[in-house]
Amino acid sequence: MKGFGKRLLTGATALAAGAGISMGGSGMDIERQAFGRTTDGTAVEIYALTNARGLRARIMTYGATVVSLEVPDRTGKTGDIVLGYEALEDYIKNSPYFGSIVGRYGNRIAKAGFELDGKAYKLAANNGENHLHGGIKGFDKVVWKAEPVREENAVAVRFNYLSRDGEEGYPGNLTVSVVYSLSNDNELNISYKATTDKATPVNLTHHSYFNLAGEGGVLGHELMISADAYTPVDPGLIPTGEIRPVTGTPFDFTSPHTIGERIARVEGGYDHNFVLRGGGRALDLAARVVDPKSGRTMEIWTTEPGVQFYSGNFLDGTISGKGGRVYTKHAGFCLETQHFPDSPNKPGFPSTILRPGRVYKSLTVHKFSTK
Ligand code: GLA
């Protein structure tokens, strides 16, 4: 999308609407523009982050959503590698979490409930009897407050949101901040922070549907996932609690396989949580995806113990996205870094409970290159 307002050369971080900051001739740039209004009249803005090497991410305050992500291919030609819409109203009408931040709890909580410190909590059931991606109005459907952030080697925007005590059934006022930062090393970093005044589950993730070719489907993309195990699920996609080795199964991506190679052997397609080798102890490589045609390569590094690999199974051709492209099954894939689904009901899984006085922190890095 063209037509951003005029740029101001300034060191200040407070921008007038339609203005931007160029960072002292470094080639990096942040621009801000109005992006329409929600149905209740709240103004939505979009930030365009451009690094010195031609990568550009546009992120709006509705859902803290990545609307476009332009990345060069091996010939230097840029292409938009995420699915989504051109207009805000389409996101509001019908979006399967395209590009957004998901919370308060990414993924499913069985029977939309959990017990914590002896008290039972009832959450919004929005996926059959289960709770999915934060409920009926999750973090993907709220308007965040945004401010540009100055960083040494990157352009960044911080998104803030206060999730009130009782929202979608969750306990505690949760103060959340998410910083998207685009570095000159061609990394899109997402760093999350949250604090609470009552104990609550927290599991934040990012839900971009990637298509490194920028067109067609993703079954020919080569995928590696650093996971020796995954969490098998019941028919409602709730983990059984088992941690099962991937060896000898279509879930073994420890060496690269195309997404399509064994997908017919996975009922419904991939929509599973992988148990990462890194174990959530430090920033570690979670996955690498290569599109052999364009050469575009994305590595995902994370501090999270898990990643949900979703192969766009529910895309069914009813959505026309950017440029009128029809999104058919497997038009994009998601790699949602996270704690495991249904952790609040699975004592054997790493805990997702945040307590007052503690800080939830999580970092995921998307590193782009070409092959
Ligand atoms: C996640 C879920 C999927 C689906 C998509 C969005 O990946 O695990 O089942 O809900 O989000 O449609």
Side-chain angles (χ1 to χ4, degrees), residues 142 195 246 345:
V142 301
T195 52
V246 294
N345 295 308

Side-chain angles (χ1 to χ4, degrees), residues 96-97 107-108 132-133 207 209 237 271 308 310 314 336:
Y97 309 94
N107 219 308
R108 291 177 177 76
L132 173 67
H133 291 337
H207 209 296
Y209 288 68
L237 298 182
D271 197 354
Q308 181 89 1
Y310 170 58
F314 299 129
E336 305 151 57

Side-chain angles (χ1 to χ4, degrees), residues 233 237 251 259 262-272 309-313 329-330:
V233 287
L237 298 182
F251 299 96
I259 292 175
R262 302 161 298 176
I263 198 168
R265 288 164 51 201
V266 181
E267 209 191 320
Y270 295 100
D271 197 354
H272 295 79
F309 168 45
Y310 170 58
S311 52
N313 316 320
K329 201 169 181 171
H330 314 311

Side-chain angles (χ1 to χ4, degrees), residues 53 55 71-74 81 185-187 212 288-291 294-299 366-371:
R53 293 166 67 187
L55 259 75
V71 175
D73 67 9
R74 66 161 79 84
I81 59 151
D185 302 320
N186 288 353
E187 294 176 357
L212 299 183
R288 183 183 299 113
V289 193
V290 181
D291 168 40
S294 65
R296 288 194 190 95
T297 300
M298 175 174 72
E299 277 186 1
H366 303 76
K367 208 173 167 46
F368 296 99
S369 59
T370 54
K371 227 179 158 169

